[in-house]
Amino acid sequence: MFVILVYDFGEKRVGKALKICRKYLTWVQNSVFEGEITEGNLKKLKIELTKKMEKSEDSIILYTFNNTRYTHKEIIGIEKNAPTVFL
Amino acid sequence: MKKDIYIFNGGRLVRKDNTLLFESVEGKKYIPVNNIESIYIFGEVDINKSLLEFLCTNEIVLHFYNYYEYYVGSFYPRECLNSGFVTLRQSEFYIDYVKRLFIAKQFINGSAKNIIQVLRYYNSRNADLSQEIEEILQTLELLNSQETIEQLMAIEGNIREKYYKCFNKIISDKAFTYTSRSKRPPKDKINSLISFGNSILYTIVLSQIYQTNLDPRIGYLHSTNNRRFSLNLDLAEIFKPIIVDRSIFSVINKKIITSKDFNKDLGGIILKDEGRMKFVKELNDKLETTIKHPSLENKVSYKRLIRLEAYKLQKHITEGEVYEPFIARW
């Protein structure tokens, strides 16, 4: 499935969240990640993130799609990081 | 579905924060380690031991190609799926000549039938290939009566020669005329594409075999001798026509790759960096294309199809379920 993950963490924990997300998804913008992920890995990601977060202060939003066929992505301004498998 | 990463630029690939980081002049790029199956390296990339250890724990296979697009080797991490039982059975099927011959025949059978399927497709479109199809079918009929692996190889060579001759009718661009198969180095553009495509397919199959209990060193059609891996060559035979050759036709006929993408080097013709990238892109798209699987009733990608083929072979040698090669139906 395809996931868009947005988080808003306190200054102390934001770096940790960034590093966790990088293991599973592609960074597209500050605090925004996207990418293909399996159900199992998504669960793992959620567990790792909730362990580090402060539930009373931080928040995570997850948008999940079965496929990206009916979605459209538009970028205005600069593209900070184009997701690609060719480097 | 895990992804493959292809690195064409020079730089450093390192382990950073428990994930992968590729640093090059263009900047830093983090690669989500949990979503990677294998990495193909074409550029000049620096690597250190801690990265290799990390790849090992994450079961990621690394494949290297040199400047002249030749396959250099693979970093094949410690087997994560060990099964002494499967290895034993696999060797048993190799040593028993009758059993080996059967599997080898199935590989050629699958390869030839897929070749015919590709030809039929173009026959119905713009090229008249009915005579060639007939000839290949006739040669294939001789397959069952053959008694040695060498004879099988001869039949396979025969079919392939006829098949490659058909390329001239399928490809409209006259710059890509096929005359004869030449390797190390390929003497013309079409041979260069075939060689490069095949060598990539071999490594793709190797990565898929890594995910199964099978040992890639024990092949059936390609004999297990001093070669490092041979089972991947066997399985690749089946998929060459439907993955590599179809990609070749589409990059040429859609004019994605033209004569400008080739260089004369090493006494042969090789692809330039950019052409290489375009071709790999096409191959990767093909591998990620999903089709409806006839018996699984599910959508599977071509890449997964290769893995399923390995599973079928594993079932054949362990559970006695007769191995039937995958044959494309379109």
Side-chain angles (χ1 to χ4, degrees), chain B residues 16-33:
Chain B
K16 181 91 194 292
D17 303 330
N18 269 329
T19 189
L20 300 169
L21 168 65
F22 182 66
E23 290 173 299
S24 67
V25 278
E26 283 167 25
K28 289 180 172 181
K29 194 119 189 173
Y30 283 90
I31 306 166
V33 67

Side-chain angles (χ1 to χ4, degrees), chain A residues 12-69:
Chain A
K12 269 189 178 167
R13 296 170 298 273
V14 71
K16 285 176 185 162
L18 174 76
K19 284 174 188 174
I20 292 168
C21 294
R22 262 184 197 150
K23 291 196 276 181
Y24 297 91
L25 299 165
T26 319
W27 179 88
V28 277
Q29 216 171 60
N30 287 346
S31 311
V32 182
F33 280 82
E34 65 166 46
E36 285 280 334
I37 194 167
T38 60
E39 244 166 84
N41 273 341
L42 182 62
K43 218 164 226 177
K44 271 194 200 163
L45 172 61
K46 276 193 212 165
I47 292 168
E48 274 191 65
L49 280 174
T50 42
K51 264 188 190 159
K52 291 279 183 244
M53 79 187 292
E54 202 69 65
K55 282 245 167 86
S56 55
E57 288 175 35
D58 306 335
S59 97
I60 303 166
I61 303 173
L62 272 163
Y63 302 88
T64 55
F65 307 85
N66 281 338
N67 57 50
T68 48
R69 197 174 292 164

Side-chain angles (χ1 to χ4, degrees), chain B residues 84-294:
Chain B
F85 173 64
V86 173
T87 314
L88 266 180
R89 296 287 286 180
Q90 218 182 324
S91 344
E92 186 198 322
F93 274 70
Y94 180 82
I95 294 165
D96 189 328
Y97 203 77
V98 181
K99 288 179 178 169
R100 183 183 161 196
L101 202 64
F102 174 78
I103 300 178
K105 271 181 188 168
Q106 291 296 66
F107 287 138
I108 294 181
N109 210 345
S111 167
K113 293 224 168 107
N114 282 324
I115 283 177
I116 289 166
Q117 214 50 258
V118 168
L119 293 182
R120 276 201 184 128
Y121 172 78
Y122 283 96
N123 191 31
S124 68
R125 299 199 48 150
N126 46 11
D128 178 27
L129 297 162
S130 37
Q131 198 197 332
E132 283 87 345
I133 293 172
E134 201 51 45
E135 277 174 25
I136 290 176
L137 277 172
Q138 271 167 20
T139 321
L140 191 60
E141 270 171 28
L142 303 173
L143 187 70
N144 269 329
S145 53
Q146 305 306 315
E147 274 159 12
T148 65
I149 299 281
E150 289 70 33
Q151 287 168 340
L152 291 184
M153 291 282 226
I155 291 209
E156 199 237 338
N158 240 323
I159 291 176
R160 239 161 229 288
E161 193 52 40
K162 286 199 183 90
Y163 170 55
Y164 285 137
K165 289 255 159 66
C166 302
F167 277 35
N168 290 338
K169 288 188 182 171
I170 296 169
I171 295 164
S172 46
D173 194 338
K174 286 285 160 282
F176 289 89
T177 310
Y178 175 86
T179 42
S180 70
R181 183 86 178 99
S182 54
K183 298 176 200 168
R184 287 178 237 108
K187 291 267 183 274
D188 56 25
K189 299 183 190 86
I190 190 82
N191 270 302
S192 170
L193 282 175
I194 295 171
S195 291
F196 184 53
N198 285 350
S199 73
I200 294 203
L201 184 66
Y202 293 146
T203 55
I204 289 166
V205 178
L206 182 61
S207 289
Q208 295 303 318
I209 293 176
Y210 180 69
Q211 312 284 339
T212 70
N213 281 317
L214 293 167
D215 190 326
R217 289 169 297 185
I218 306 174
Y220 296 97
L221 176 62
H222 297 81
S223 45
T224 302
N225 37 33
N226 299 321
R227 205 198 306 263
R228 234 160 282 123
F229 302 120
S230 52
L231 187 63
N232 61 333
L233 310 183
D234 286 1
L235 285 176
E237 286 300 329
I238 300 171
F239 294 98
K240 271 181 198 170
I242 47 178
I243 295 175
V244 179
D245 301 339
R246 279 187 171 157
S247 301
I248 293 176
F249 299 147
S250 69
V251 288
I252 300 175
N253 285 343
K254 285 183 195 158
K255 304 219 186 309
I256 296 169
I257 284 183
T258 55
S259 306
K260 286 180 205 136
D261 289 308
F262 293 86
N263 245 348
K264 231 188 160 108
D265 214 331
L266 270 186
I269 306 275
I270 60 163
L271 273 165
K272 278 185 200 165
D273 283 355
E274 216 174 295
R276 210 172 290 176
M277 200 161 159
K278 285 190 263 187
F279 186 52
V280 171
K281 234 178 207 148
E282 185 71 28
L283 266 178
N284 191 56
D285 285 347
K286 184 105 230 165
L287 285 164
E288 284 185 1
T289 313
T290 51
I291 54 156
K292 199 157 179 351
H293 193 275

